[in-house]
Structures are given as C-alpha cells and as structure tokens.
C-alpha cells in the first residue's frame, strides 16, 4: 500500500489528495498546478494577470505607481501604491486589496511608498518604505505600525524564509541584507552585493536577490554564500517563484523566466515598467472524517480554477463525485465495508 501511495504521489500533477482508511484521514499534496502570474506596471498604473502561456488580462487600473504585490491565503491580492483613484478620490501611500472577484478597497492607510510586500504565517502584511527607512507591519485588520527602522538605509526588498524570519535588503548604504526574527531581533545576513530591489526564496531555502546596479540575479545559500545565478538584465526588480521552481524576473519592459538550471527565456514584453510580481496561491485540500462522514473541503476562493473531486478504492479507477469552484465542501458517508477510500481534487483552469 505504501509503495502504491508513493508512486501515486510522484506521478500525479495538478492534484491534491486524501486517503480515508477506517475513519482515519491521511493528507497528501502532489505537485502544484501551474499558476497565473500577477504583475504591477509601475508607470502604466495597471495590474496585469498572465496565464502560464503568457496571455495577459488587465485586472485593475487607476493606480499611480503600483509596486509591491502579495497574496493572502484566501486568494486576495494586495497592491502597494503611492496614489489610487478608488471612489473618485486620491489616497496617497496605501495598500489596496483586490478580492478574487475584482472588488477593490483600501486595506491600509497610510503606508508610505510600499515598494515590496510579504505576508507572514500569521496573516500580517509587511511592507518596505525606502524613503522613510522603515519596515511597516500591517495586522490582518489593516492597522499599520513600524516593525523596524534602526540602521535601515532605503530598504527596497523583503521576503520571509520558511522559518518565519523576515529578510530585508537596503538599496543604499552598502545594500546590507538583514534577518529579523518574528520578535524583531536583527542580525546581518550579508553585507551587501549592490542595489537590491527584489528578493525571493526557493523551496530549498536559498535566497535569490535582484541586483539592480549590476543587472544580476544572485543566489544565497542559508550560510550567506552567494553566487551569480543569472546576469545581463537591464534593471531587475521584482522576483517570484512559480510552483515548478522557475524564477520570474521583472526587468523594465520585460519579464524573464529562469529555470532551476539557470536557463533564461523571455516570458513577456511590452510593459511600461514591470515592478512587482506574485503568483496566485493554489487551492488546498483539507479532509476530515468524523462520525462516519468524510468531508473534503477545497479552500482559497478563486475564479481562476475549478476543482473536480474524485473517489477511488484502488487509486487506478476514479469516479468524479463533485465539480465546483473553490471554496466548497464535499460530504459523503464512509463505507466501512471498504478497506480504504482515496479522494483527490483535480485543479483546472
């Protein structure tokens, strides 16, 4: 049974699964599906969405200098911007929230020049403010406060590692990269490599940094050792990894894709100034079995993906039992005459 389960885990893509055996639930997450890429066009004032094939749609307009981008776990998109014309008025220095249905609202104000955004595991949003030399923390209900300021010199990039530590890079002052614990204790991760404008961690825990001054993308191991991962860019800004481990780089009018092996290709072009990048989160499958009932819940409300729930007793022959768009919960009774029932959720476009 374990060999069959592991084989299924390796082979299936675009699938999340759960196993019900005698009332117990085991969760499994296979390779995540391809995700759409969201981009801020700093000078164009728009937020764009790109399919994996590079097809673009405009999902939000009316911004002036939109920059940082981040998704929360519910699939809401947050945009850092200097000005916004929502409701017919201009509110400078704010973070705007865009729901999966496209509804916009001011999430936090004032947040000064939020050039890059990142969420911690508790749902707090962090933003860098270069001109004020601060990092701002915003609670889930939109209340901003200063998280760090001492010793920062035009911070322009930030990212969380898997342990929950926040990495912040100065653009000037030697471009030092600092590491902050959740409690705000700071250590120096690296003395700096140039003008850092973007950072992102890969699944292995290595930190990738956009070096704006030299046009390089550098890779840092957890001990701080760095090497050039890719070079030849005009002015790299935002960085983001997709679920397959490819790194996307915003580089003025272009967005480039870099494979894990370092092969660089042009993903799309024609932007005024590509700045912030973020990939939409993928829905998660959560299963529970109580009192003879199995509930399979697909989270993360999203208009971008549909989900088909299937059931099997042998992981070979599958029967579709539900098709829906997240979030939803499928409920079924547990057949105690069967040794196991396997559930999987296939994610579609």
């Amino acid at each position: 049974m374990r060999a069959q389960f592991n084989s299924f885990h390796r082979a299936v893509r675009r699938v999340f699964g759960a196993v019900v055996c005698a009332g117990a639930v085991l969760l499994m997450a296979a390779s995540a599906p391809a995700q759409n890429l969201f981009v801020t066009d700093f000078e164009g004032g728009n937020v764009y969405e790109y399919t994996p094939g590079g097809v673009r749609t405009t999902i939000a307009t009316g911004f002036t200098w939109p920059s940082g981008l981040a998704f929360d776990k519910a699939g809401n998109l947050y945009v850092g911007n200097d000005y916004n014309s929502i409701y017919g008025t201009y509110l400078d220095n704010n973070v705007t929230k865009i729901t999966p249905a496209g509804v916009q609202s001011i999430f936090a104000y004032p947040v000064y020049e939020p050039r890059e955004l990142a969420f911690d595991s508790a749902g707090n949003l962090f933003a860098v403010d270069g001109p004020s030399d601060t990092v701002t923390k915003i609670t889930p209900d939109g209340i901003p406060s200063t998280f760090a300021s001492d010793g920062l010199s035009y911070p322009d990039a930030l990212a969380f590692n898997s342990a929950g530590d926040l990495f912040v890079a100065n653009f000037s002052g030697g471009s030092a990269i600092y590491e902050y614990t959740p409690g705000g204790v700071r250590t120096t991760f690296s003395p700096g490599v140039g003008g850092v404008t973007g950072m992102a961690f890969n699944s292995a825990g290595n930190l990738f940094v956009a070096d704006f001054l030299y046009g390089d993308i550098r890779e840092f191991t957890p001990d701080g050792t760095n090497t050039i991962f890719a070079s030849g860019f005009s002015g790299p800004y935002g960085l983001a990894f997709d679920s397959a481990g490819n790194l996307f780089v915003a580089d003025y009018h272009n967005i480039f894709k870099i494979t894990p092996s370092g092969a660089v290709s042009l993903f799309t072009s024609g932007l005024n100034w590509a700045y912030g990048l973020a990939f939409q989160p993928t829905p998660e499958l959560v299963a529970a079995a109580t009192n003879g009932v199995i509930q399979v819940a697909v989270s993360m409300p999203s208009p971008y993906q549909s989900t088909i729930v299937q059931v099997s007793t042998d992981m070979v022959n599958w029967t579709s039992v539900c098709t829906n768009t997240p979030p939803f919960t499928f409920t079924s009774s547990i057949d105690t005459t069967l040794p196991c029932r396997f559930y999987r959720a296939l994610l579609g476009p």
Side-chain angles (χ1 to χ4, degrees):
M1 177 65 70
R2 180 174 295 275
Q4 185 182 27
F5 185 90
N6 289 338
S7 175
F8 176 73
H9 176 84
R10 290 192 300 269
V12 176
R13 295 184 62 84
R14 302 177 65 82
V15 170
F16 296 90
V19 185
V20 180
C21 297
V25 179
L26 302 176
L27 298 181
M28 175 189 74
S31 300
Q35 305 151 284
N36 289 348
L37 175 65
F38 289 72
V39 180
T40 51
D41 191 339
F42 187 75
E43 291 189 345
N46 302 318
V47 179
Y48 297 124
E49 175 186 359
Y50 289 87
T51 66
V55 178
R56 186 179 87 179
T57 57
T58 302
I59 67 162
T61 60
F63 296 97
T64 301
W65 302 333
S67 46
L69 281 181
F71 275 99
D72 66 14
K73 293 181 180 180
N76 299 301
L77 178 63
Y78 295 77
V79 184
N81 57 95
D82 288 351
Y83 298 95
N84 194 289
S85 58
I86 295 175
Y87 308 126
T89 61
Y90 282 89
L91 294 176
D92 63 333
N93 299 309
N94 68 78
V95 175
T96 298
K97 176 182 177 180
I98 306 175
T99 69
V103 178
Q104 297 184 38
S105 61
I106 300 299
F107 172 69
Y109 171 85
V111 182
Y112 298 100
E113 298 199 23
R115 295 302 174 89
E116 192 156 297
L117 306 176
F119 276 97
D120 68 8
S121 59
N124 299 301
L125 180 62
F126 288 72
V128 285
D129 171 17
S132 297
D133 296 332
T134 61
V135 176
T136 299
K137 176 181 178 180
I138 309 170
T139 62
D141 54 0
I143 299 175
S145 62
T146 297
F147 174 75
S149 59
D150 183 49
L152 295 178
S153 179
Y154 210 100
D156 210 28
L158 79 172
F160 280 96
N161 67 5
S162 59
D165 289 341
L166 177 64
F167 287 67
V168 178
N170 287 331
F171 182 81
S172 57
S175 291
I177 300 175
Y178 297 118
E179 180 177 357
Y180 292 86
T181 66
V185 178
R186 187 186 78 181
T187 56
T188 300
F189 175 72
S190 169
V193 294
V196 179
T197 49
M199 296 196 299
F201 281 93
N202 69 0
S203 59
N206 294 328
L207 176 64
F208 288 73
V209 169
D211 184 342
F212 179 82
L213 296 182
Y214 295 96
D216 298 328
I217 305 299
R218 289 185 172 268
E219 179 180 2
F220 285 80
T221 60
D223 65 1
T225 302
N226 79 89
T227 56
I228 295 177
F229 179 66
S231 60
F233 298 97
S234 299
Y237 262 81
L239 302 179
F241 280 97
D242 68 9
S243 57
N246 300 300
L247 178 62
F248 286 71
V249 181
D251 187 34
Y252 281 131
H253 307 302
N254 307 310
I255 298 174
F256 290 94
K257 175 183 176 180
I258 311 176
T259 66
S261 63
V264 181
S265 62
L266 179 66
F267 175 72
T268 191
S269 60
L271 292 98
N272 290 294
W273 186 349
Y275 202 105
L277 302 181
F279 279 96
Q280 67 180 113
T282 56
E284 296 179 352
L285 181 69
V286 179
T290 57
N291 300 323
V293 175
I294 173 70
Q295 287 190 334
V296 180
V298 182
S299 66
M300 205 284 284
S302 171
Y304 319 118
Q305 294 178 321
S306 61
T307 304
I308 301 174
V309 176
Q310 295 183 326
V311 64
S312 173
T313 58
D314 56 10
M315 293 201 303
V316 175
N317 301 294
W318 293 91
T319 301
S320 298
V321 292
C322 177
T323 300
N324 214 327
T325 299
F328 68 89
T329 300
F330 170 76
T331 302
S332 176
S333 60
I334 297 175
D335 188 345
T336 57
T337 64
L338 299 175
C340 286
R341 296 177 75 179
F342 302 89
Y343 288 85
R344 70 180 185 181
L346 282 72
L347 307 179

